[in-house]
mmCIF file of all heavy atoms in Angstrom:
data_model
loop_
_atom_site.group_PDB
_atom_site.id
_atom_site.type_symbol
_atom_site.label_atom_id
_atom_site.label_comp_id
_atom_site.label_asym_id
_atom_site.label_seq_id
_atom_site.Cartn_x
_atom_site.Cartn_y
_atom_site.Cartn_z
ATOM 1 N N MET A 156 -7.028 -40.504 -19.548
ATOM 2 C CA MET A 156 -6.551 -39.257 -18.963
ATOM 3 C C MET A 156 -6.128 -38.318 -20.093
ATOM 4 O O MET A 156 -5.417 -38.707 -21.007
ATOM 5 C CB MET A 156 -5.363 -39.557 -18.051
ATOM 6 C CG MET A 156 -4.829 -38.336 -17.374
ATOM 7 S SD MET A 156 -3.680 -38.782 -16.088
ATOM 8 C CE MET A 156 -2.215 -38.068 -16.740
ATOM 9 N N LYS A 157 -6.557 -37.095 -19.997
ATOM 10 C CA LYS A 157 -6.231 -36.121 -21.040
ATOM 11 C C LYS A 157 -4.926 -35.428 -20.678
ATOM 12 O O LYS A 157 -4.740 -34.972 -19.559
ATOM 13 C CB LYS A 157 -7.352 -35.125 -21.193
ATOM 14 C CG LYS A 157 -8.620 -35.774 -21.703
ATOM 15 C CD LYS A 157 -9.621 -34.742 -22.083
ATOM 16 C CE LYS A 157 -10.833 -35.471 -22.627
ATOM 17 N NZ LYS A 157 -11.651 -34.643 -23.430
ATOM 18 N N LEU A 158 -4.054 -35.360 -21.642
ATOM 19 C CA LEU A 158 -2.739 -34.774 -21.428
ATOM 20 C C LEU A 158 -2.714 -33.266 -21.620
ATOM 21 O O LEU A 158 -1.904 -32.583 -21.011
ATOM 22 C CB LEU A 158 -1.764 -35.416 -22.423
ATOM 23 C CG LEU A 158 -0.437 -35.924 -21.877
ATOM 24 C CD1 LEU A 158 -0.575 -36.616 -20.567
ATOM 25 C CD2 LEU A 158 0.277 -36.753 -22.882
ATOM 26 N N ALA A 159 -3.612 -32.722 -22.414
ATOM 27 C CA ALA A 159 -3.603 -31.291 -22.733
ATOM 28 C C ALA A 159 -3.738 -30.408 -21.494
ATOM 29 O O ALA A 159 -2.957 -29.458 -21.321
ATOM 30 C CB ALA A 159 -4.671 -30.972 -23.753
ATOM 31 N N PRO A 160 -4.694 -30.664 -20.579
ATOM 32 C CA PRO A 160 -4.792 -29.800 -19.390
ATOM 33 C C PRO A 160 -3.551 -29.879 -18.500
ATOM 34 O O PRO A 160 -3.114 -28.889 -17.920
ATOM 35 C CB PRO A 160 -6.021 -30.332 -18.647
ATOM 36 C CG PRO A 160 -6.813 -31.071 -19.659
ATOM 37 C CD PRO A 160 -5.822 -31.598 -20.655
ATOM 38 N N LEU A 161 -2.977 -31.063 -18.412
ATOM 39 C CA LEU A 161 -1.780 -31.244 -17.591
ATOM 40 C C LEU A 161 -0.590 -30.479 -18.174
ATOM 41 O O LEU A 161 0.130 -29.778 -17.456
ATOM 42 C CB LEU A 161 -1.454 -32.737 -17.488
ATOM 43 C CG LEU A 161 -0.327 -33.119 -16.547
ATOM 44 C CD1 LEU A 161 -0.661 -32.683 -15.125
ATOM 45 C CD2 LEU A 161 -0.082 -34.607 -16.600
ATOM 46 N N ILE A 162 -0.421 -30.558 -19.467
ATOM 47 C CA ILE A 162 0.674 -29.848 -20.137
ATOM 48 C C ILE A 162 0.470 -28.340 -20.032
ATOM 49 O O ILE A 162 1.412 -27.589 -19.790
ATOM 50 C CB ILE A 162 0.791 -30.309 -21.610
ATOM 51 C CG1 ILE A 162 1.257 -31.768 -21.653
ATOM 52 C CG2 ILE A 162 1.743 -29.409 -22.381
ATOM 53 C CD1 ILE A 162 1.243 -32.377 -23.027
ATOM 54 N N THR A 163 -0.766 -27.896 -20.200
ATOM 55 C CA THR A 163 -1.074 -26.463 -20.089
ATOM 56 C C THR A 163 -0.733 -25.948 -18.692
ATOM 57 O O THR A 163 -0.166 -24.871 -18.535
ATOM 58 C CB THR A 163 -2.568 -26.209 -20.394
ATOM 59 O OG1 THR A 163 -2.856 -26.737 -21.691
ATOM 60 C CG2 THR A 163 -2.891 -24.738 -20.351
ATOM 61 N N THR A 164 -1.073 -26.712 -17.679
ATOM 62 C CA THR A 164 -0.777 -26.311 -16.301
ATOM 63 C C THR A 164 0.727 -26.171 -16.086
ATOM 64 O O THR A 164 1.188 -25.178 -15.515
ATOM 65 C CB THR A 164 -1.350 -27.342 -15.305
ATOM 66 O OG1 THR A 164 -2.749 -27.450 -15.515
ATOM 67 C CG2 THR A 164 -1.071 -26.930 -13.877
ATOM 68 N N PHE A 165 1.496 -27.145 -16.543
ATOM 69 C CA PHE A 165 2.954 -27.066 -16.385
ATOM 70 C C PHE A 165 3.547 -25.907 -17.181
ATOM 71 O O PHE A 165 4.456 -25.226 -16.725
ATOM 72 C CB PHE A 165 3.618 -28.389 -16.815
ATOM 73 C CG PHE A 165 3.488 -29.470 -15.792
ATOM 74 C CD1 PHE A 165 2.937 -30.689 -16.133
ATOM 75 C CD2 PHE A 165 3.899 -29.283 -14.485
ATOM 76 C CE1 PHE A 165 2.801 -31.699 -15.201
ATOM 77 C CE2 PHE A 165 3.770 -30.275 -13.541
ATOM 78 C CZ PHE A 165 3.213 -31.494 -13.897
#
Side-chain angles (χ1 to χ4, degrees):
M156 182 168 116
K157 295 191 178 200
L158 228 41
L161 186 60
I162 292 173
T163 304
T164 302
F165 283 125

